[in-house]
Amino acid sequence: MKRLTIRARLTLVYGGLFLLAGVVLLAVTYVLVEQRMPGTVGVALNKTRLPESTAGRVISPNDAEQFRIFARQIQDEARDNALETLLTQGGIALAVVSAIAVAFGWLIAGRALQPLHQITGTARRIAGAGTAGHGLHERIALDGPRDEVKELADTFDLMLERLDQSFDGQRRFVANASHELRTPLALNRSLLELAVTRPGAPAELTQLGETLLAVNERHERLIDGLLTLADSEQQVVERTPIDLAEVVGHVAEQMRTELPVHRHLAPAPTAGDPVLLERLTQNLLENALRHNVPANGQVWVNTGTFDGWVTLVVANTGPVVPGYEVETMFQPFRRLRQERVGGGRGFGLGLSIVRAVAGTHGGSVRAEPRHGGGLVVTVLLPAEASLRAVPHHHAPPAVPTATLGPRPELPVGDPAPLAGPARTLR
């Protein structure tokens, strides 16, 4: 059962109390008038002395009694008419005034709750700005008297300020630590390369140097991923118009893989940081290629537009992904259980960077298991036209997967149709 809003409940309470007060006032008035009218008229009749003769005719006691009875009937009828008129006219007036009071109550309640709507709107924009603390720089800054609502807004602003400082400190720590670690890693790489390429180096030393170079390269890639994650969590200040389909085509052309990549690239104009958007696309494609089946594996890449948003959908064949583990894959350093056991080359930063880049551009990322194995990842970013018209403060819509491209129920080897040129990369 849907509950009434606070505004509706306040209006009902205000209108109910007003109606109750009006009914009580009308009832008290009715009782007072009813008690007052018979006494006044009755006393007037008792004090009235009828003449004993009129125009030479003597009035008998019987005629005088009949006159008093007739006067009393007129009195009772006048009293009943007056009380009935009081109830009818008073009831009508009370109903009209109550309706006006309810209307004013609705307006007054809306006016009183306006600061709460401002607080809710700010919280909704911050919640829709993505993860990693995006949008925490915004404040309510409520004006008005120092009342309970003003104290609530100020407390909320203080909480946002502390959260913003916490996230900024975390990002600065990751960036600074990553920068500090790159220097010794670069020095280690130079020394190892010098030792390996030195003339007359023993075979054991060469083998050990190559192993250490591979470990050093892995650490460098980890540091590079942390730097990218820290950079992608910063707010995008300058946005460059860019077609996401061109970015996908460029990244796909640079990749060399034995697996077929089916591309259905419809125009997807957006605006943002080209470097970050290229890294987003690269991470999605590398993730789809790396976590695939050894033989007969395939990847589908689609771009397009939907309801003022540009879409990028990447689907692949691969191992079955449990639905309850999909969300954990977007957390840093989190991978599937079998990959952690198998010691895969990934660090668990790819999808974290994808979500951070999408969030800082005002978009979102969602993933769902593909029927038969694999994953379908959908990225939504604001279209360029909608960014020029009005900034996006609302959350991206829930887009049906069938509308965007490769559906989870597609059989292996059957790319999903989508408007736009289709190409296959091998």
Side-chain angles (χ1 to χ4, degrees):
M1 181 178 179
K2 187 177 180 180
R3 298 184 60 183
L4 295 175
T5 62
I6 296 180
R7 184 178 184 181
R9 279 180 281 174
L10 287 176
T11 303
L12 289 178
V13 171
Y14 176 79
L17 290 177
F18 185 89
L19 182 61
L20 179 62
V23 170
V24 172
L25 179 61
L26 183 61
V28 171
T29 304
Y30 180 86
V31 171
L32 293 177
V33 172
E34 184 184 23
Q35 291 179 353
R36 181 64 179 170
M37 288 183 64
T40 303
V41 179
V43 170
L45 286 175
N46 292 331
K47 292 181 178 181
T48 300
R49 298 185 60 184
L50 298 177
E52 298 181 357
S53 62
T54 302
R57 185 174 65 86
V58 178
I59 299 177
S60 64
N62 187 30
D63 292 338
E65 184 63 23
Q66 292 295 328
F67 178 79
R68 288 190 176 90
I69 293 174
F70 178 72
R72 190 172 288 107
Q73 290 176 352
I74 295 177
Q75 166 200 338
D76 294 339
E77 184 177 356
R79 184 196 62 181
D80 294 341
N81 290 335
L83 294 177
E84 183 179 358
T85 302
L86 175 64
L87 286 179
T88 304
Q89 300 298 328
I92 295 175
L94 179 60
V96 173
V97 175
S98 298
I100 297 176
V102 168
F104 274 105
W106 176 264
L107 296 177
I108 294 173
R111 182 74 175 178
L113 295 175
Q114 186 63 34
L116 295 181
H117 292 312
Q118 184 176 348
I119 297 175
T120 304
T122 303
R124 184 178 292 113
R125 286 193 299 271
I126 293 175
T131 57
H134 298 306
L136 291 178
H137 61 280
E138 186 174 359
R139 299 292 181 269
I140 299 174
L142 185 65
D143 297 329
R146 189 73 183 180
D147 54 7
E148 291 81 359
V149 179
K150 182 69 165 56
E151 292 181 359
L152 174 63
D154 292 343
T155 305
F156 191 80
D157 284 342
L158 180 60
M159 180 189 66
L160 289 178
E161 183 178 357
R162 292 183 177 178
L163 287 176
D164 195 13
Q165 292 176 356
S166 176
F167 277 103
D168 284 342
Q170 180 183 5
R171 285 191 289 263
R172 285 195 299 269
F173 172 77
V174 173
N176 294 335
S178 301
H179 278 295
E180 292 296 329
L181 290 174
R182 294 187 73 175
T183 301
L185 287 176
L187 180 61
N188 289 342
R189 184 179 70 251
S190 300
L191 294 176
L192 289 172
E193 290 176 350
L194 180 61
V196 171
T197 58
R198 187 179 62 181
E204 294 83 0
L205 179 61
T206 302
Q207 183 178 2
L208 177 61
E210 291 177 352
T211 303
L212 293 177
L213 278 175
V215 174
N216 197 86
E217 181 186 0
R218 178 179 174 85
H219 291 164
E220 286 182 342
R221 287 190 287 107
L222 173 60
I223 298 302
D224 182 65
L226 289 175
L227 279 174
T228 304
L229 182 60
D231 292 338
S232 61
E233 290 178 347
Q234 302 295 331
Q235 202 71 19
V236 177
V237 179
E238 296 183 1
R239 294 178 179 266
T240 303
I242 188 173
D243 190 351
L244 196 58
E246 296 181 1
V247 177
V248 174
H250 172 73
V251 173
E253 291 290 349
Q254 301 299 318
M255 289 188 172
R256 295 293 180 264
T257 176
E258 298 296 330
L259 298 179
V261 179
H262 305 281
R263 290 181 285 167
H264 302 265
L265 306 181
T270 184
D273 189 325
V275 177
L276 292 179
L277 292 179
E278 182 177 342
R279 186 59 183 267
L280 178 147
T281 306
Q282 181 180 353
N283 283 6
L284 285 178
L285 290 178
E286 287 181 350
N287 187 76
L289 292 171
R290 181 184 299 117
H291 309 290
N292 215 309
V293 293
N296 299 325
Q298 299 191 62
V299 176
W300 296 272
V301 184
N302 293 354
T303 59
T305 59
F306 180 86
D307 194 21
W309 299 81
V310 300
T311 61
L312 169 61
V313 182
V314 179
N316 69 315
T317 55
V320 177
V321 180
Y324 56 85
E325 288 195 359
V326 170
E327 186 61 28
T328 61
M329 297 169 59
F330 287 95
Q331 301 176 9
F333 305 105
R334 295 295 296 271
R335 295 173 293 173
L336 293 179
R337 289 192 303 269
Q338 59 266 28
E339 294 173 358
R340 287 196 290 266
V341 175
R345 296 183 57 190
F347 298 102
L349 290 176
L351 291 181
S352 301
I353 294 175
V354 169
R355 171 166 285 183
V357 172
T360 197
H361 284 80
S364 67
V365 181
R366 72 167 185 175
E368 55 186 342
R370 178 180 175 274
H371 180 70
L375 201 66
V376 180
V377 182
T378 303
V379 179
L380 292 180
L381 298 175
E384 182 186 5
S386 60
L387 285 173
R388 289 197 304 264
V390 59
H392 275 70
H393 292 306
H394 58 277
V399 186
T401 307
T403 306
L404 299 178
R407 293 170 293 178
E409 67 270 17
L410 283 176
V412 176
D414 183 13
L418 185 67
R423 299 180 59 190
T424 301
L425 172 68
R426 291 186 180 273

